[in-house]
Amino acid sequence: MKKILLFSTALFMLNGCGTIVQLLDPTEKYHAYAGVSYDFEQAQRWGLPILDLPLSFLLDTALLPYVWSQE
């Protein structure tokens, strides 16, 4: 049981947070739900970041006032 928990935790830690990746990317301006779109693109390519999609959706929703203030 401990091995399964450790493996699951490692999978969640390896995929990273798409919202944070997009916020820190200096090449593009952050737009609404950029983290979700980034995770979706990575999931199509690799499969694992789909685990982060719900968390990125919540953080992107919380950051909507920031996005609206940028416009």
Side-chain angles (χ1 to χ4, degrees), residues 22 31-43 53 56 60:
Q22 289 303 108
H31 61 277
Y33 296 101
V36 173
S37 63
Y38 175 79
D39 280 342
F40 189 70
E41 290 170 8
Q42 295 302 314
L53 200 66
S56 289
D60 283 341

Side-chain angles (χ1 to χ4, degrees), residues 12-65:
F12 281 112
M13 298 302 283
L14 285 175
N15 61 14
C17 183
T19 303
I20 301 299
V21 169
Q22 289 303 108
L23 274 172
L24 297 177
D25 184 12
T27 60
E28 292 184 29
K29 184 179 175 186
Y30 184 77
H31 61 277
Y33 296 101
V36 173
S37 63
Y38 175 79
D39 280 342
F40 189 70
E41 290 170 8
Q42 295 302 314
Q44 289 176 335
R45 188 174 300 154
W46 304 105
L48 284 179
I50 198 75
L51 301 172
D52 183 50
L53 200 66
L55 298 174
S56 289
F57 178 78
L58 291 174
L59 188 55
D60 283 341
T61 302
L63 288 173
L64 277 177

Side-chain angles (χ1 to χ4, degrees), residues 29-32 64-71:
K29 184 179 175 186
Y30 184 77
H31 61 277
L64 277 177
Y66 170 73
V67 173
W68 291 334
S69 71
Q70 296 264 324
E71 293 178 354

